[in-house]
């Protein structure tokens, strides 16, 4: 059973799933603490966004919580997670210093 593809996606749901994803927050912050140069923060953000998207896909696949429109909006959720992950990774980078 894969996520459903639906024609309409609430953008607030995409924003909330992207910004408040615990996998994105934790992975991006911890990867941000491990980078040794400022230009690698974007890579940490990408890894955090990928981990967050994977968590949301697994949660949708196994129907752990009610995320019915996630299949249609996974690209938007990834983009929002990437932007938020950059903030979290930068916070991790600057907290190390």
């Amino acid at each position: 059973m894969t996520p459903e593809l639906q024609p309409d996606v609430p953008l607030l749901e995409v924003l909330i799933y992207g910004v408040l994803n615990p996998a994105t927050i934790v992975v991006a912050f911890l990867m941000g603490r491990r980078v040794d140069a400022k230009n690698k923060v974007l890579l940490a953000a990408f890894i955090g966004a990928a981990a967050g998207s994977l968590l949301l896909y697994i949660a949708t696949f196994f129907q752990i919580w009610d995320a019915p429109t996630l299949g249609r909006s996974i690209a938007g959720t990834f983009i929002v997670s990437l932007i938020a992950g950059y903030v979290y990774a930068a916070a991790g980078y600057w907290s190390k210093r």
Side-chain angles (χ1 to χ4, degrees), residues 12-42:
L12 183 63
E13 184 179 340
V14 171
L15 182 69
I16 290 172
Y17 279 130
V19 173
L20 299 178
N21 189 334
T24 302
I25 295 170
V26 171
V27 171
F29 184 80
L30 292 177
M31 291 296 292
R33 289 190 54 85
R34 299 205 32 107
V35 298
D36 57 351
K38 198 176 357 178
N39 58 355
K40 294 180 183 176
V41 173
L42 185 60

Side-chain angles (χ1 to χ4, degrees), residues 25-67:
I25 295 170
V26 171
V27 171
F29 184 80
L30 292 177
M31 291 296 292
R33 289 190 54 85
R34 299 205 32 107
V35 298
D36 57 351
K38 198 176 357 178
N39 58 355
K40 294 180 183 176
V41 173
L42 185 60
L43 180 62
F46 182 82
I47 294 169
S53 295
L54 180 66
L55 175 72
L56 287 175
Y57 184 80
I58 290 171
T60 304
F61 184 77
F62 290 114
Q63 297 176 350
I64 294 173
W65 69 72
D66 185 28

